Amino acid sequence: METATSPPITSTLHEESGLILKDPEPAVPLSGEDLRDLHARLDEIVRKLPPESDPEMETLPRRAFEFALQAHGGQKRVSGEPYITHPLTVAELVCDLMPDRPTLAACLLHDTLEDTLTTPETLRREFGEEVAFLVEGVTNVSRIRFGLQHEKQIENLRRLLVHTAKDLRVIIIKLCDRLHNMRTLGSLPSVKRRRICQSTLDVFAPLAHRLGLERVKNELEDLCLMFLHPSVYRDIKTNVDERLASRQLYARNVQNIVADVLATHGIDATVEWRVKHFWSIYQKMRRDNKDFSEIYDLTGIRILVHGVDQCYAALGIVHGVWPPVEGRFKDYVSKPKANDYRSLHTTVLGPEGRMLEIQIRTHQMHRVCEEGVAAHWRYKERGRSSRRLGDDAAWISQISGILQDTNDQEEWSTTLKTDLFSDETFCYTPKGDIIRLPAGSCPIDFAYYIHTDLGDHCQGAVVNGRYAPLSHELKTGDVVQIETSKTAHPSPDWLNIVGSSRARSKIRAHLLEANRENLTEQGRVLLSRELHRLGKNPNAFFGSEEFQEILDSLAVKTEEDLFALIGFGRIATKQVIARILKNRAKGKKGAAPKAIGETIRISDIDDMLYRLARCCQPVPGEGIVGFVTRGRGVTIHRWDCSNIRKFQGDQARLIPMRWDQNGEMGSLVEIVVEANDRHQLLADISNTISSAGIDIKGCHTLSFDNNRATLSFSIVIRDILQLERLAAQLIDVQGVLTVSQRRGNRTRPLA
């Protein structure tokens, strides 16, 4: 059989993780033993695949492996391993979730476009359209950079969702790629490790959860804990290991009791015990402000049965043996989560009076719980044109559709937080149809979910048989009936009470179109007034090339569209004025500053008054946004400041901004260190701060009866990177539990 050939390798740096050497040593052929081991691993993967009658499809994985082996040639990972071990490991991980030949081939080839001279055309010719499509999708997702300025971050999330919506296998391959990179992250510098861990927690772990890939999500989170908070990870691991034997004995005792009592009642069940993963323990300790010794539900019992009726029968039997804890029962069987997770959850007072978590589900439910959408992946037939997502992933298409229609960064951010990474509320129509809405939704969201016209003419709501205000927050289980009127129309006030991006988008579209003529005239007057203050002739300016450039930068097609958006409040006149001032600054300095997206440097608005917000105390290096205040110029906030999120109705007054240069001036910040109190604790922490070259301007300490201490320091730092490096050093001081930055009345975890 003829083997596909590939172009020679390059020595490029893999941007996504840095886990490939930038300047590898001269290629050294793999030894015969190494090649045998690699082929043995491939054989093991291929054995998991169903047989194929088509010879081309049957040999596809092996041809892809030989191609990748030659393409990556002498490339090595930073750890020193041959690079081919990485795509092979990704293939092993994905094959456990989705065993089909095109997906396996794409796994083996997923880095060839990024790290070799292989072209998409070569992949199409050698392996077909489907495999090339998957590899291109994974490559495009790999090129997305997270942890950048706010507006760039949102655009990258947009791209990620768009690629995910096209074919779920793209993001599943990418998640397994990230998982293997996280497993081998120790070879990278600490700064890069922290950046990758943070993007994993912010983006990839939530996506894995939403797709139902709980095993992937749990391991990603545990690895992030290990690299971000090594001392906390070591403490939790040590405590778990020390108590594992006694907890195993307890769990096995409970396991036997449950198995025997279910068998007595004629229920054929598999009873397992499990231990909470470390990140879950860490989150519980932080959320409840508890020490490890105060966490009692580290182990749990899982009951697997053969039918839904047996799930509820087993629940009743368990509650007959041990009393249930009130408020700790959740029924995800009758009301599944959006990712199709189905299970009964209950907590009982088990033997020795210990709280015991129990999950009850069928074997099929368990497979979906572990593997999510991959557990029932399906096609009508082969080929990209017939590929479908299924109802289990329809939310991706819905979110992508909403987000592709807007360039408003704050709206993007709100949509992602409410529709992608938040909990859900399950409500019902009077006919019994279930409606999934983001937590915090109201009857207006319910109406717009069903139909745009129903939302546009919504006048009132009946919730559980009683009239409720349109601002009423819906709860899971509510039965909602919408009352309409031909004379009822959306109000601007609705924007402040809806919880879903779909409703918010529809309301804005209606308000803009219904009042377009008046809004256009109002916007023209407002902008003309500001132009007069700058000494410009509005009529002449509106016909200028500079004005057309400003329209392009704001992604607005015509001047009437701009006037309408200004009148509506979607774009602020200050955003236009700031761009004019930026052009002036270019002329004064003789050279254009290096642009970052469409952000404006602080020095570009030196003709206007500005100040740093006290509520979030932005630090050089952090993403920032300016809010145009009435009579006080521009107030500069962190992009994720809670006060900025409250300005949804005034978001047109937001100006994306950036610092002139990190480290131009020192910033006074307050950090809070929580620790187990001990002798010399204050001295060790102070020495760590001083050794980092950071001045301490003030210090305040508090000791508590539970042997805990809180230490607050006012320090002068150069930029956010210096602050994050300090936090990483402080968390390794003996006894330190957490490091946070105080911003106004709130604290933000640093380590």
Side-chain angles (χ1 to χ4, degrees):
M1 178 181 66
E2 185 176 349
T3 303
T5 59
S6 66
I9 65 167
T10 65
S11 58
T12 56
L13 173 66
H14 195 298
E15 292 285 336
E16 195 274 338
S17 65
L19 292 175
I20 182 173
L21 284 175
K22 185 173 183 180
D23 298 305
E25 299 291 331
V28 177
L30 292 171
S31 68
E33 184 178 355
D34 288 338
L35 284 172
R36 283 192 295 273
D37 289 343
L38 292 171
H39 280 96
R41 290 174 62 183
L42 179 66
D43 291 341
E44 188 66 28
I45 298 173
V46 172
R47 273 195 286 270
K48 299 178 182 179
L49 303 175
E52 276 282 350
S53 57
D54 181 359
E56 284 289 312
M57 187 61 66
E58 178 70 27
T59 61
L60 183 63
R62 297 189 186 278
R63 288 188 288 118
F65 175 76
E66 295 297 337
F67 184 98
L69 186 64
Q70 182 175 349
H72 290 294
Q75 287 179 333
K76 291 185 177 181
R77 309 190 86 218
V78 175
S79 60
E81 299 172 294
Y83 194 80
I84 189 62
T85 60
H86 170 62
L88 188 59
T89 303
V90 173
E92 290 171 334
L93 293 170
V94 173
C95 198
D96 287 339
L97 299 169
M98 195 168 287
D100 74 79
R101 282 173 165 75
T103 305
L104 176 55
C107 291
L108 295 166
L109 298 165
H110 79 271
D111 276 337
T112 55
L113 294 182
E114 181 86 3
D115 296 324
T116 79
L117 294 180
T118 303
T119 65
E121 291 72 25
T122 301
L123 292 181
R124 288 188 182 88
R125 183 178 66 252
E126 299 288 353
F127 305 105
E129 181 65 29
E130 184 176 3
V131 172
F133 171 79
L134 291 173
V135 176
E136 285 186 271
V138 176
T139 301
N140 288 332
V141 170
S142 295
R143 287 171 177 160
I144 295 173
R145 306 289 173 257
F146 296 99
L148 303 174
Q149 292 82 4
H150 177 46
E151 70 281 357
K152 198 66 177 176
Q153 174 90 326
I154 297 301
E155 174 57 27
N156 286 341
L157 284 168
R158 184 207 305 258
R159 291 169 55 199
L160 176 65
L161 281 178
V162 168
H163 287 299
T164 302
K166 289 179 180 177
D167 194 317
L168 275 179
R169 291 178 296 174
V170 168
I171 196 60
I172 290 175
I173 295 171
K174 182 59 198 174
L175 285 170
C176 292
D177 171 61
R178 174 57 66 105
L179 177 57
H180 184 235
N181 283 338
M182 287 294 301
R183 288 177 177 177
T184 55
L185 204 59
S187 304
L188 295 181
S190 60
V191 173
K192 186 167 286 189
R193 286 202 304 265
R194 295 182 69 83
R195 176 178 60 79
I196 294 173
C197 286
Q198 198 58 56
S199 68
T200 299
L201 290 175
D202 291 344
V203 178
F204 292 101
L207 268 175
H209 174 65
R210 192 66 191 261
L211 291 169
L213 305 174
E214 288 303 299
R215 286 183 297 176
V216 175
K217 165 190 167 289
N218 290 345
E219 187 174 351
L220 285 174
E221 290 176 337
D222 282 354
L223 289 167
C224 287
L225 179 64
M226 182 173 71
F227 289 114
L228 287 176
H229 311 297
S231 61
V232 175
Y233 180 88
R234 287 193 299 268
D235 288 345
I236 292 176
K237 186 177 187 305
T238 299
N239 282 312
V240 168
D241 290 345
E242 287 177 351
R243 306 182 187 189
L244 188 58
S246 62
R247 292 188 182 279
Q248 281 180 330
L249 185 62
Y250 178 82
R252 288 194 178 112
N253 178 44
V254 173
Q255 183 180 7
N256 292 333
I257 293 173
V258 172
D260 289 344
V261 73
L262 290 177
T264 300
H265 286 79
I267 295 179
D268 179 19
T270 300
V271 184
E272 306 171 341
W273 66 277
R274 59 187 178 83
V275 180
K276 279 184 181 288
H277 67 294
F278 292 173
W279 178 262
S280 176
I281 296 172
Y282 169 65
Q283 290 293 85
K284 192 175 184 69
M285 291 169 62
R286 290 187 62 189
R287 183 178 62 248
D288 301 336
N289 194 26
K290 290 183 177 180
D291 188 71
F292 182 88
S293 61
E294 301 174 89
I295 307 296
Y296 298 106
D297 53 346
L298 293 177
T299 54
I301 296 296
R302 180 180 295 129
I303 302 172
L304 304 180
V305 294
H306 296 285
V308 173
D309 56 338
Q310 291 186 341
C311 289
Y312 292 99
L315 177 70
I317 293 169
V318 168
H319 283 176
V321 177
W322 298 298
V325 177
E326 188 175 352
R328 296 290 296 270
F329 170 68
K330 293 182 180 179
D331 184 353
Y332 295 119
V333 172
S334 63
K335 300 170 186 174
K337 292 185 178 182
N339 57 13
D340 206 26
Y341 178 94
R342 303 177 72 200
S343 183
L344 299 178
H345 291 190
T346 187
T347 301
V348 300
L349 287 177
E352 303 174 19
R354 295 191 194 180
M355 290 179 64
L356 179 66
E357 290 185 353
I358 298 178
Q359 299 174 347
I360 306 173
R361 60 183 69 145
T362 68
H363 290 274
Q364 174 60 24
M365 290 177 192
H366 181 59
R367 187 177 172 217
V368 174
C369 291
E370 293 292 301
E371 301 175 7
V373 295
H376 43 83
W377 179 253
R378 58 197 181 274
Y379 295 110
K380 289 180 181 176
E381 56 182 303
R382 259 187 233 288
R384 187 173 63 178
S385 60
S386 61
R387 201 174 281 131
R388 64 177 183 174
L389 290 174
D391 294 338
D392 47 281
W395 53 272
I396 300 178
S397 296
Q398 292 169 3
I399 296 174
S400 298
I402 293 172
L403 299 181
Q404 276 185 296
D405 294 334
T406 179
N407 289 306
D408 190 307
Q409 305 301 340
E410 187 67 19
E411 185 174 338
W412 251 95
S413 180
T414 301
T415 297
L416 288 167
K417 289 173 183 173
T418 58
D419 289 23
L420 181 57
F421 299 148
S422 70
D423 293 329
E424 291 188 307
T425 297
F426 299 85
C427 299
Y428 296 89
T429 67
K431 294 182 178 180
D433 296 329
I434 190 168
I435 303 296
R436 288 173 169 146
L437 296 169
S441 292
C442 65
I444 300 171
D445 297 285
F446 186 94
Y448 275 112
Y449 182 93
I450 295 174
H451 198 278
T452 300
D453 284 343
L454 189 65
D456 285 346
H457 298 289
C458 175
Q459 177 179 262
V462 177
V463 180
N464 300 326
R466 296 184 178 182
Y467 282 99
L470 292 179
S471 59
H472 175 77
E473 183 175 331
L474 298 176
K475 306 295 184 185
T476 292
D478 285 347
V479 178
V480 184
Q481 181 177 350
I482 301 297
E483 295 189 341
T484 62
S485 169
K486 292 183 179 180
T487 60
H489 298 290
S491 162
D493 294 336
W494 287 10
L495 293 171
N496 297 321
I497 60 176
V498 294
S500 67
S501 298
R502 177 183 176 87
R504 191 172 294 109
S505 175
K506 298 294 184 182
I507 293 166
R508 284 176 174 151
H510 181 93
L511 293 174
L512 181 59
E513 195 57 39
N515 301 284
R516 188 175 185 84
E517 185 175 343
N518 291 334
L519 292 171
T520 299
E521 183 57 31
Q522 183 180 350
R524 181 191 294 273
V525 171
L526 290 172
L527 183 55
S528 296
R529 184 185 304 158
E530 294 296 325
L531 291 171
H532 277 302
R533 292 177 180 174
L534 283 181
K536 285 184 174 290
N537 182 314
N539 291 331
F541 180 72
F542 293 151
S544 68
E545 184 177 338
E546 181 183 7
F547 183 59
Q548 185 58 50
E549 292 176 355
I550 290 175
L551 290 179
D552 293 340
S553 72
L554 292 169
V556 177
K557 293 181 180 179
T558 67
E559 62 181 69
E560 285 76 16
D561 289 340
L562 175 63
F563 298 149
L565 290 169
I566 291 175
F568 187 54
R570 296 297 301 279
I571 293 179
T573 56
K574 293 295 184 183
Q575 289 178 270
V576 179
I577 300 305
R579 283 163 170 77
I580 297 173
L581 293 174
K582 182 177 181 179
N583 291 336
R584 283 187 180 180
K586 291 179 183 180
K588 289 178 183 178
K589 298 172 184 177
K594 184 178 180 181
I596 301 179
E598 292 182 4
T599 58
I600 299 169
R601 296 190 311 178
I602 291 179
S603 63
D604 291 336
I605 60 168
D606 55 8
D607 291 340
M608 292 188 285
L609 177 68
Y610 69 86
R611 63 189 180 90
L612 301 181
R614 294 181 180 178
C615 53
C616 57
Q617 297 175 338
V619 176
E622 294 182 311
I624 54 175
V625 62
F627 181 74
V628 181
T629 59
R630 294 181 174 89
R632 291 188 294 170
V634 178
T635 303
I636 299 172
H637 295 257
R638 275 174 51 91
W639 69 265
D640 57 352
C641 175
S642 58
N643 283 331
I644 286 293
R645 293 199 296 270
K646 294 177 183 176
F647 299 147
Q648 291 181 3
D650 292 322
Q651 57 189 281
R653 292 158 62 191
L654 300 179
I655 305 175
M657 303 189 71
R658 62 185 171 103
W659 301 95
D660 289 282
Q661 182 179 347
N662 291 350
E664 284 188 348
M665 64 179 71
S667 293
L668 184 67
V669 301
E670 183 178 356
I671 61 172
V672 179
V673 180
E674 301 284 348
N676 291 319
D677 204 358
R678 63 173 175 81
H679 183 61
Q680 292 291 317
L681 176 65
L682 176 59
D684 289 346
I685 293 176
S686 300
N687 288 336
T688 300
I689 297 174
S690 299
S691 299
I694 297 173
D695 291 336
I696 300 175
K697 296 298 184 181
C699 175
H700 180 71
T701 65
L702 286 173
S703 296
F704 302 96
D705 293 338
N706 61 356
N707 204 36
R708 290 285 183 86
T710 300
L711 304 91
S712 302
F713 296 87
S714 295
I715 59 176
V716 178
I717 57 112
R718 181 174 61 253
D719 55 36
I720 191 63
L721 290 178
Q722 186 183 36
L723 181 61
E724 291 175 347
R725 283 194 293 267
L726 173 64
Q729 294 169 349
L730 288 175
I731 200 67
D732 285 331
V733 173
Q734 181 185 350
V736 172
L737 302 173
T738 64
V739 181
S740 306
Q741 180 188 0
R742 192 186 302 280
R743 298 178 182 270
N745 296 324
R746 301 184 178 185
T747 57
R748 180 179 72 95
L750 293 171

